């Protein structure tokens, strides 16, 4: 990455981009610039490029991910595509050698997730997946405690999740049905 602003590509220019990512990225405009916005719907990519023009004037719209990945002025990407596409899109981005933050899930199977993790390691890039809370101080502390062996080797992990998903989110305006198909939710 450059010592100057982080140069981002955003893949997927739908509802989540406008509600969550663009406001946060604009607030980081002194450290981040958007260079590419990718969506197979040309009007969506162009509209997103127009939306960031004031603080990322070099943002260019693309309808083809492979074309965008041939650019040499992007350091990292954010994958906001529909959940069923995450595995293939994430693989392409990682193979291109870009750092990557993906919305969840990172893939549709554990085998695909393992392949993505291996690709990131081979390319020497950072690969993170939403929710960002997994990278917070308390989770880093927990990872350090486990790695230290202070309490032995973990043999069981228990988790609880009590959210019915986007069908119940008032602010979600997209079609929630893809989130409830096999291979898309957080538990495969």
């Amino acid at each position: 990455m450059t010592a100057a602003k982080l140069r981002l590509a955003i893949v997927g220019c739908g509802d989540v981009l406008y509600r969550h990512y663009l406001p946060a990225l604009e607030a980081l405009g002194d450290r981040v610039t958007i260079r590419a916005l990718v969506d197979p719907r040309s009007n969506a990519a162009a509209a997103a490029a127009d939306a960031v023009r004031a603080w990322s004037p070099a943002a260019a719209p693309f309808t083809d991910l492979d074309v965008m990945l041939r650019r040499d002025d992007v350091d990292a990407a954010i994958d906001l595509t529909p959940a069923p596409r995450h595995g293939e899109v994430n693989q392409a981005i990682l193979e291109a050698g870009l750092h990557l933050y993906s919305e969840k899930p990172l893939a549709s199977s554990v085998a695909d997730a393992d392949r993505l993790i291996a690709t990131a390691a081979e390319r020497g890039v950072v690969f993170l997946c939403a929710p960002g809370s997994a990278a917070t101080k308390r989770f880093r502390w927990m990872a350090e405690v486990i790695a230290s062996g202070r309490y032995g080797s973990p043999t069981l992990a228990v988790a609880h999740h009590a959210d019915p998903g986007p069908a119940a989110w008032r602010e979600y305006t997209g079609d929630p049905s893809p989130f409830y198909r096999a291979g898309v939710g957080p538990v495969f």
Side-chain angles (χ1 to χ4, degrees):
M1 287 187 285
T2 64
K5 290 183 178 185
L6 177 67
R7 303 169 303 174
L8 289 176
I10 297 177
V11 184
C13 300
D15 179 65
V16 172
L17 171 65
Y18 289 95
R19 279 190 301 116
H20 297 291
Y21 286 83
L22 287 188
L25 291 169
E26 183 175 9
L28 297 171
D30 61 327
R31 295 183 278 164
V32 173
T33 186
I34 296 176
R35 289 298 176 101
L37 293 130
V38 184
D39 197 293
R41 303 164 301 151
S42 62
N43 59 333
D50 288 342
V52 302
R53 191 80 54 220
W55 56 276
S56 284
F62 291 85
T63 56
D64 187 310
L65 176 62
D66 293 330
V67 170
M68 186 283 295
L69 290 174
R70 290 195 286 270
R71 293 177 62 123
D72 64 359
D73 65 342
V74 174
D75 304 309
I78 299 172
D79 180 1
L80 304 178
T81 61
R85 297 201 59 225
H86 288 183
E88 68 183 90
V89 169
N90 289 342
Q91 187 67 41
I93 292 168
L94 292 170
E95 285 177 0
L98 296 179
H99 302 285
L100 173 61
Y101 182 85
S102 176
E103 266 297 332
K104 60 198 167 301
L106 60 101
S108 296
S109 71
V110 173
D112 286 346
D114 288 343
R115 184 172 37 85
L116 292 170
I117 293 166
T119 301
E122 290 166 9
R123 298 293 194 277
V125 296
V126 175
F127 178 33
L128 297 171
C129 185
S133 58
T136 63
K137 185 176 180 179
R138 66 181 158 205
F139 287 100
R140 288 192 304 268
W141 169 81
M142 191 181 318
E144 290 170 6
V145 169
I146 291 169
S148 75
R150 181 175 11 184
Y151 299 108
S153 297
T155 58
L156 175 68
V158 177
H160 173 75
H161 184 71
D163 182 337
W169 301 342
R170 283 187 302 249
E171 76 276 1
Y172 189 77
T173 60
D175 175 11
S177 60
F179 291 95
Y180 301 99
R181 292 198 305 238
V184 175
V187 179
F188 298 116

